[in-house]
Amino acid sequence: DGHRLFGSLFRPRAGHPPATRGSQKRTGGILLLHALGSSRGACTPQAAALAARGLVALTLDLRGHGASVSEAFPDAHAFSARLAENLKAADRDVRAALAFLARQPGVDARRIGVVGAGLGALLAARAVLDDAATGSEGTVGVPRPAALVLLSPWGRADAYRELLAGFDPRSLLLVAGSEEGAPLATVQALAAPGGAPAPRSIVVDGPGAHYGLAADRPDLGAILDGFLADRLAAPPRADE
């Protein structure tokens, strides 16, 4: 729709150079989404850690946040004022970011993950749907995420159940703080044992939320990195 978005791309450091286009050695890519009222700066430490693990990471300022502001979206309040309509616009933003990430040299479009916090967690879950389901038709080359990490998920558990009905629970990691209230209830409901395998969940003791949960549990970042690296690992070649 012409809205200009800003993001930051984190490439693997010197011991894990990304492969060039056409190379058989490719790596996974991770899109990191912030919470309502935040910005991509909140995702920077996690993105840098993922790049150190050999993954290509992209952080994004959603419209009305950080540098992705305009006359129509001067701030997060403008985004919130028409939330239902702007969620669909944010879906388009996320799909544009996923398509951009998939086009980066050395990124395997079949091995894309999304980390979302708060509202970003809901957008991450919505990204697994096809374009028609979210009204986001028009973006070409959008990969379907192969792994999701939802931090302090915003919204009720029923909404996530519907969005993730066809998603492999082994590729889903849920995280919330012990004092978060609604996000904690959503994580507990989604992780409750049922007829199908339940996704992995982590409850972090303390008052933290979103990407700040790592302040209460210093090893959380490494856990997230390991989960994503494992779920997005390259499948073995037929000749190996």
Side-chain angles (χ1 to χ4, degrees), residues 43-65:
C43 315
T44 295
Q46 193 67 52
L50 288 165
R53 290 289 296 259
L55 299 166
V56 177
L58 173 65
T59 61
L60 174 71
D61 280 335
L62 297 169
R63 62 180 63 205
H65 296 75

Side-chain angles (χ1 to χ4, degrees), residues 9 34 42 46 56 66 88 93-94 96 99 101 103 106 127 184 188 211 232-233:
L9 190 66
H34 60 76
Q46 193 67 52
V56 177
K88 293 183 179 180
D93 296 345
V94 170
L101 182 59
R103 293 195 301 268
L184 175 59
Q188 291 174 329
Y211 289 96
L232 300 177

Side-chain angles (χ1 to χ4, degrees), residues 4-238:
R4 191 177 185 186
L5 302 172
F6 287 81
S8 298
L9 190 66
F10 297 74
R11 297 187 182 278
R13 60 184 182 184
H16 298 277
T20 58
R21 288 190 185 275
S23 171
Q24 291 184 352
K25 186 178 180 182
R26 300 171 77 80
T27 189
I30 309 293
L31 173 64
L32 296 97
L33 303 172
H34 60 76
L36 183 66
S38 185
S39 71
R40 72 184 191 272
C43 315
T44 295
Q46 193 67 52
L50 288 165
R53 290 289 296 259
L55 299 166
V56 177
L58 173 65
T59 61
L60 174 71
D61 280 335
L62 297 169
R63 62 180 63 205
H65 296 75
S68 299
V69 294
S70 64
E71 185 174 342
F73 291 94
D75 52 34
H77 177 73
F79 183 98
S80 302
R82 303 174 68 178
L83 187 59
E85 176 183 334
N86 291 329
L87 274 177
K88 293 183 179 180
D91 284 332
R92 295 194 294 271
D93 296 345
V94 170
R95 279 165 166 69
L98 287 170
F100 174 84
L101 182 59
R103 293 195 301 268
Q104 296 310 299
V107 172
D108 185 343
R110 300 165 300 176
R111 296 158 58 200
I112 299 290
V114 184
V115 180
L119 177 66
L122 179 63
L123 294 172
R126 289 165 67 94
V128 306
L129 300 179
D130 60 33
D131 290 350
T134 58
S136 303
E137 298 93 338
T139 305
V140 178
V142 180
R144 185 176 188 268
L148 295 177
V149 175
L150 308 184
L151 306 171
S152 309
W154 184 84
R156 296 174 63 87
D158 288 346
Y160 287 91
R161 287 195 185 96
E162 182 177 352
L163 293 168
L164 301 172
F167 194 75
D168 184 352
R170 296 171 299 177
S171 296
L172 174 62
L173 177 59
L174 306 166
V175 187
S178 63
E179 301 179 19
E180 287 202 82
L184 175 59
T186 294
V187 165
Q188 291 174 329
L190 292 173
R200 181 182 177 188
S201 65
I202 298 173
V203 176
V204 178
D205 289 334
H210 308 139
Y211 289 96
L213 289 166
D216 292 324
R217 181 166 176 174
D219 67 336
L220 181 62
I223 293 172
L224 304 189
D225 297 346
F227 171 80
L228 289 165
D230 177 68
R231 299 313 303 175
L232 300 177
R237 292 169 50 186

